[in-house]
């Protein structure tokens, strides 16, 4: 018997065994009623902790995004002020040069 034939026979035996053992028409197993199965106070505490952590993460994320936006606005304002100061300085230099030429 080849290896492929042995695997086929073994798998057919497994399928036959599973088909014989599962009987969907059998009565449902007796257990705890669904009404009595609850997560209890441990489940409540776990969900509460997850919700609290989510709120704290959202607040922290909002704070960080706002801080990044404000820093970008301040950098832009500083850059504009530097450009304006450079233009004014260049204008003063030009005026001083013109006055120096007139004095000569």
């Amino acid at each position: 018997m080849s290896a492929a034939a042995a695997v086929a026979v073994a798998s057919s035996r497994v399928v036959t065994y599973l088909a014989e053992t599962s009987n969907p028409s059998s009565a449902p197993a007796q257990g705890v009623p669904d009404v009595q199965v609850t997560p209890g106070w441990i489940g409540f505490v776990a969900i509460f902790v997850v919700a609290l952590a989510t709120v704290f993460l959202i607040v922290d994320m909002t704070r960080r995004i706002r801080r990044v936006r404000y820093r970008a606005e301040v950098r832009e304002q500083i850059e504009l002020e530097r450009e304006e100061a450079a233009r004014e300085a260049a204008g003063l230099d030009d005026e001083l040069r013109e006055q120096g030429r007139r004095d000569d």
Side-chain angles (χ1 to χ4, degrees):
M1 182 183 264
S2 69
V7 170
V9 169
S11 64
S12 68
R13 287 182 184 165
V14 170
V15 169
T16 305
Y17 173 75
L18 291 175
E20 290 173 356
T21 58
S22 70
N23 187 359
S25 64
S26 66
Q30 296 295 326
V32 180
D34 291 339
V35 177
Q36 293 179 352
V37 178
T38 62
W41 65 273
I42 295 173
F44 172 76
V45 169
I47 296 298
F48 183 77
V49 167
V50 168
L52 194 62
T54 302
V55 168
F56 283 131
L57 286 172
I58 290 172
V59 168
D60 184 56
M61 180 186 63
T62 304
R63 205 178 296 152
R64 288 175 188 267
I65 290 173
R66 187 179 303 133
R67 193 177 306 149
V68 167
R69 188 176 60 225
Y70 288 154
R71 285 181 182 169
E73 290 175 2
V74 168
R75 283 187 193 125
E76 184 178 318
Q77 184 65 30
I78 290 172
E79 185 64 31
L80 289 174
E81 290 174 0
R82 284 182 181 168
E83 288 176 4
E84 184 179 327
R87 276 186 262 136
E88 288 178 4
L92 287 176
D93 286 345
D94 291 342
E95 290 177 16
L96 291 175
R97 286 186 193 136
E98 288 177 12
Q99 286 178 359
R101 290 181 195 156
R102 288 181 195 160
D103 291 339
D104 289 338

